């Protein structure tokens, strides 16, 4: 079963083969075993394999988990690659989606310089001003390359009802994003992030008007 999964996934992205091979040596395949499902979050968490690190992902109300394939620090940024058995991959940089492959809408590449999360640390007295920045995206379908978006990031109040798993008193940051749809019409949307100790512990980010992701790191599953 594991070998069959490996053969399917390697046709999609060679990097995933390395992840699956390494994890297969441990006697289980968390990527294969965490195919998309719609169980409540608590039940999903209970079925995860011990010793592996996971990311909880919800797309249009359908929840799944992705296994961590790699994490590395480049400069001051932390890069993470998350995979699931359906051939989907998320590349996160400090919690922001940098690349998304295998989804109905893909973010193939992006350039830009988002502000460091430390800019919004109220404890350092740096959360008083909005931060404006730009980014360029290569997206699919439609072979749309160099799509420019302008973003304004700012601190916002904690929501009245906290998302599941997010502790009170987290630092919340919201993005107001101005871009364009595939038909050229304006698209203005919001993203938000919950930070704890400078790390994203919850986020809502969009790939397209109809494809928005809710992400929450689960950490390493322990007994």
């Amino acid at each position: 079963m594991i070998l069959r999964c490996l053969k399917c996934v390697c046709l999609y992205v060679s990097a995933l083969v390395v992840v699956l091979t390494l994890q297969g040596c441990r006697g289980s395949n968390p990527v294969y075993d965490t195919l998309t499902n719609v169980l409540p979050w608590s039940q999903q968490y209970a079925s995860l394999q011990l010793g592996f690190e996971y990311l909880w992902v919800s797309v249009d109300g359908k929840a799944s988990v992705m296994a961590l394939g790699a994490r590395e620090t480049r400069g001051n940024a932390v890069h993470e690659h998350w995979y699931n058995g359906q051939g989907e991959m998320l590349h996160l940089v400090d919690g922001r989606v940098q690349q998304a492959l295998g989804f109905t809408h893909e973010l193939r590449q992006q350039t830009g310089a988002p502000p460091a999360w430390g800019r919004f640390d109220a404890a350092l007295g740096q959360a008083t001003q909005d931060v404006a920045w730009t980014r360029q995206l290569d997206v699919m379908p439609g072979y749309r390359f160099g799509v420019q978006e302008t973003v304004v990031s700012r601190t916002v109040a904690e929501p009245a009802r906290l998302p599941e798993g997010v502790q009170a008193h987290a630092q919340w940051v919201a993005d107001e994003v101005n871009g364009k749809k595939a038909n050229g019409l304006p698209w203005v949307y919001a993203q938000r992030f919950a930070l704890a100790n400078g790390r994203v512990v919850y986020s809502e980010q969009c790939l397209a008007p109809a494809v928005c992701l809710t992400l929450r790191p689960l950490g390493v599953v322990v007994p």
Side-chain angles (χ1 to χ4, degrees), residues 79-218:
H79 291 248
E80 298 172 334
H81 290 80
W82 300 87
Y83 302 90
N84 66 16
Q86 292 185 323
E88 296 170 339
M89 186 278 288
L90 282 176
H91 174 194
L92 305 183
V93 179
D94 290 338
R96 289 186 179 275
V97 175
Q98 174 72 18
Q99 192 178 32
L101 302 178
F103 295 83
T104 56
H105 289 72
E106 295 187 334
L107 175 53
R108 294 290 183 87
Q109 189 64 41
Q110 103 172 257
T111 58
W117 295 123
R119 293 282 299 273
F120 306 101
D121 191 338
L124 300 177
Q126 300 181 27
T128 58
Q129 295 183 341
D130 296 350
V131 181
W133 52 287
T134 62
R135 62 183 182 181
Q136 294 75 41
L137 314 176
D138 296 343
V139 298
M140 289 285 287
Y143 299 97
R144 301 170 61 216
F145 298 101
V147 177
Q148 182 163 308
E149 294 184 333
T150 59
V151 188
V152 177
S153 301
R154 59 174 62 94
T155 56
V156 293
E158 180 178 275
R161 182 175 181 179
L162 291 173
E164 184 173 8
V166 179
Q167 300 296 319
H169 308 302
Q171 177 71 62
W172 286 82
V173 176
D175 289 344
E176 180 183 306
V177 187
N178 286 265
K180 290 185 178 181
K181 301 178 182 178
N183 59 11
L185 294 177
W187 177 33
V188 180
Y189 62 100
Q191 303 188 137
R192 63 175 183 167
F193 305 82
L195 310 174
N197 299 317
R199 177 175 175 267
V200 175
V201 295
Y202 172 89
S203 68
E204 298 169 1
Q205 306 182 60
C206 293
L207 304 179
V211 183
C212 289
L213 313 177
T214 300
L215 309 176
R216 181 180 180 273
L218 297 179

Side-chain angles (χ1 to χ4, degrees), residues 28-64:
S28 61
N29 187 338
V31 177
Y32 184 81
D33 293 338
T34 55
L35 297 177
T36 299
N37 58 75
V38 292
L39 292 174
W41 177 85
S42 58
Q43 293 184 41
Q44 290 183 34
Y45 186 84
S47 66
L48 301 185
Q49 295 192 34
L50 302 179
F52 294 100
E53 189 168 351
Y54 292 94
L55 177 72
W56 184 86
V57 182
S58 177
V59 184
D60 297 329
K62 296 182 179 180
S64 65

Side-chain angles (χ1 to χ4, degrees), residues 4-22:
R4 182 175 59 190
C5 177
L6 287 172
K7 292 178 181 178
C8 295
V9 176
C10 72
L11 293 176
Y12 179 73
V13 54
S14 59
L16 185 53
V17 175
V18 177
V19 176
L20 295 177
T21 302
L22 291 174

